[in-house]
Amino acid sequence: MNDHDRGPQDLIKLTHDKLSAGAVSEDVLCASCGAVSMFIGTTRNTFEGKKVVQLEYEAYIPMAESQLKKIFSEIRERWSTVRHICVHHRLGVVPVTEASVIIAISSPHRSESLEAVAYCINALKASVPIWKKEVYETEDSTWKENKECLWAEGVLK
């Protein structure tokens, strides 16, 4: 199917497989769009002075997919020119330097796709039930709460 036959697409993939920025970018390419904006969140090797060796992600998949669909609807309401939206999030073990999440959004012009990508990652961290555990070199680990989470202390009043 060529691009002209394809209407706007909302693509979600929650997987234990390694993520590919190229694949996510390809999923949102569009002949009528001059912009593809992306965010790639990777595992860093330190947090508050502790050496991180990997992250581990768990998700309640049906609810995560439902929340992502709501975020996509919000994006389409705010930025009507957004064409395609794609979010891939890795589950399970994610080693240092590998991607945990990749978001790509296409639109005719860059401002809409850049703003929509920023909105998407912030909304994802605030409302999607995906949990992260940091595993440290000392073999200690800590389940992390995103400061943006709606259920975090002080966010809901």
Side-chain angles (χ1 to χ4, degrees):
M1 165 169 46
N2 70 37
D3 180 66
H4 300 292
D5 299 331
R6 181 169 70 141
Q9 291 196 350
D10 295 339
L11 305 164
I12 299 168
K13 183 176 181 182
L14 303 173
T15 181
H16 285 83
D17 298 333
K18 189 172 181 176
L19 302 182
S20 164
V24 176
S25 177
E26 286 256 338
D27 283 345
V28 300
L29 288 178
C30 174
S32 64
C33 293
V36 171
S37 297
M38 294 184 71
F39 171 80
I40 303 171
T42 60
T43 301
R44 64 178 173 263
N45 66 357
T46 59
F47 181 77
E48 294 181 351
K50 295 180 184 176
K51 184 167 176 64
V52 175
V53 294
Q54 67 189 32
L55 299 178
E56 295 177 17
Y57 287 91
E58 290 185 14
Y60 178 47
I61 292 174
M63 190 173 176
E65 290 174 342
S66 175
Q67 281 300 121
L68 284 166
K69 288 175 186 173
K70 285 181 187 175
I71 292 167
F72 293 176
S73 291
E74 292 165 4
I75 287 169
R76 292 191 181 286
E77 277 182 36
R78 290 179 75 163
W79 296 278
S80 62
T81 61
V82 161
R83 183 69 174 184
H84 303 305
I85 304 170
C86 183
V87 173
H88 288 192
H89 203 298
R90 190 153 167 197
L91 303 175
V93 173
V94 183
V96 170
T97 73
E98 291 189 16
S100 301
V101 61
I102 303 176
I103 298 169
I105 297 178
S106 60
S107 64
H109 304 285
R110 71 179 171 271
S111 62
E112 295 90 351
S113 61
L114 286 167
E115 291 169 10
V117 164
Y119 179 87
C120 190
I121 188 59
N122 291 332
L124 182 154
K125 287 182 154 283
S127 65
V128 178
I130 298 175
W131 301 278
K132 172 175 74 174
K133 181 168 76 170
E134 287 184 344
V135 179
Y136 307 112
E137 184 179 48
T138 60
E139 296 182 17
D140 293 339
S141 63
T142 302
W143 283 99
K144 305 301 288 188
E145 184 175 75
N146 289 319
K147 64 181 188 241
E148 302 92 346
C149 282
L150 297 175
W151 52 86
E153 189 175 313
V155 173
L156 289 178
K157 294 183 180 179

